[in-house]
Amino acid sequence: MRSIWNGAISFGLVSIPIKLVNATESHAISFRQIHTEDNGRIRYRKVCELEDREISQAEIGKGYEDADGTIIPISDEDLSHLPIPTARTIEIVAFVPADRIDPLQMGAAYYLAAGGAPAAKPYTLLREALKRSNKVAVAKYALRGRERLGMLRVVGDAIAMHGLLWPDEVRAPEGVAPDADVTIRDKELDLADALMDTLGEVDLEDLHDQYQEALEEVIAAKASGEVPPEAPAPAAEGKVLDLMAALENSVRAARESRGAAPAGGEAEVRPLPRRRAAPKETGGKKSTKAATEKKPATARKSTSRTAGATKTAGATKKTAAAKTTAKSTTKSTAKSTAKSEAPAKKTATKKTASRKRSA
């Protein structure tokens, strides 16, 4: 990587030669201004408004515009006398915990590369000292003609520096928060927590710039003479009238997008419906079918089990009734047979007695 600044880190009496390189890069697509009739480039020329003529770069200097519009010229010689002790040095002034640095102050990020073999030992010493202390270094440095504030921290095996805004450059958030008296209920906070848990964490490497990808497709299509693809219509934005409903719908949508079915427990935002008691008696096929359609899956299983038990009990009753009927039929048959046999026995006895008398 190409260095943009060469100097040294001042760490007490230790001096570490380093090179400053950009830690980030922009992938944004830039456009040129063109003449729409013939695609000719539109260029800017530097013209002196008093002489109304184009001037060269050698004729251009610096000037400060006063409140009344007066221009005060400032030469490079004037700037050379300004005290900038950190012109070629990143001077560490303190070591503080990382949470002492407000993220609002953070600006551009750079890597500090060791400037040659002699810098390897002190560079590694500073890196390991930052690691063991769990602190970051606050430093001053000069870049592009002005003194700046920076923060040094360890990234992997390298030392990175973040440019910081001076504390008086960060605005206080006055008038930003709503001034209305708003009450947040515990249930709303619970739903917000459930939404946060459902969304969970994400690997930042998986995030990408969808607009950039779509723009590249449009440029590729135009370059090849094809019709650019149409972008999907944006979703209609509606007013949020019910915060609870919006939170519940957000939790449900987040689960569906992740392919997770609603689960019971703390993550469930709606109470489970109460199970209806299974009917004691089924009133025929029609009533059983209607009851089955109205009940949830759990109730259907309970109804089917109850219906099965009812059928079994009915079959048992029928079997018992059949046995009872058979017993009663046998008894009645035996009684009728006994009754029919009794007169015959009496008649046979009388005949036998009369024969004995005649004899």
Side-chain angles (χ1 to χ4, degrees), residues 200-214:
E201 298 182 357
V202 65
D203 187 356
L204 295 181
E205 297 294 334
D206 296 335
L207 302 180
H208 54 93
D209 189 349
Q210 293 178 318
Y211 176 82
Q212 178 82 5
E213 294 174 354

Side-chain angles (χ1 to χ4, degrees), residues 17-29:
I18 56 97
K19 296 179 180 180
L20 193 69
V21 298
N22 285 318
T24 61
E25 59 184 0
S26 175
H27 294 160
I29 295 176

Side-chain angles (χ1 to χ4, degrees), residues 207-329:
L207 302 180
H208 54 93
D209 189 349
Q210 293 178 318
Y211 176 82
Q212 178 82 5
E213 294 174 354
L215 181 58
E216 291 174 356
E217 291 180 2
V218 170
I219 294 174
K222 295 278 286 187
S224 59
E226 300 177 357
V227 179
E230 294 185 3
E237 296 182 0
K239 295 182 178 179
V240 179
L241 301 179
D242 188 346
L243 181 59
M244 293 291 292
L247 287 170
E248 291 177 356
N249 292 335
S250 299
V251 173
R252 188 179 301 107
R255 285 176 179 157
E256 291 176 355
S257 66
R258 293 176 178 268
E266 296 180 359
E268 183 63 43
V269 297
R270 287 185 177 275
L272 292 174
R274 296 181 179 178
R275 297 180 180 177
R276 298 179 182 177
K280 295 181 180 179
E281 296 180 3
T282 54
K285 293 182 178 179
K286 293 183 178 180
S287 61
T288 303
K289 183 178 181 181
T292 304
E293 291 177 352
K294 292 180 180 180
K295 293 182 178 180
T298 306
R300 288 178 186 173
K301 293 181 181 180
S302 176
T303 304
S304 61
R305 291 175 183 173
T306 306
T310 305
K311 290 181 180 180
T312 305
T316 305
K317 290 181 180 179
K318 288 180 181 180
T319 304
K323 290 181 179 180
T324 305
T325 304
K327 288 181 181 180
S328 59
T329 304

Side-chain angles (χ1 to χ4, degrees), residues 123-136:
Y123 184 97
T124 305
L125 173 64
L126 176 58
R127 183 191 66 197
E128 296 303 316
L130 288 172
K131 279 185 180 180
R132 191 167 69 173
S133 66
N134 290 323
K135 292 182 178 181
V136 297

Side-chain angles (χ1 to χ4, degrees), residues 54-128:
E54 184 178 355
I55 59 176
S56 63
Q57 184 64 34
E59 300 177 87
I60 299 176
K62 300 181 180 68
Y64 174 80
E65 185 176 2
D66 204 353
D68 59 357
T70 303
I71 300 297
I72 303 174
I74 304 294
S75 66
D76 292 339
E77 184 180 357
D78 296 331
L79 298 177
S80 64
H81 297 295
L82 294 178
I84 305 181
T86 56
R88 285 293 173 184
T89 304
I90 298 176
E91 181 184 353
I92 296 177
V93 296
F95 292 90
V96 299
D99 57 7
R100 287 273 302 278
I101 305 298
D102 190 340
L104 287 174
Q105 291 183 252
M106 288 189 175
Y110 308 95
Y111 286 131
L112 302 181
K121 182 72 176 286
Y123 184 97
T124 305
L125 173 64
L126 176 58
R127 183 191 66 197
E128 296 303 316

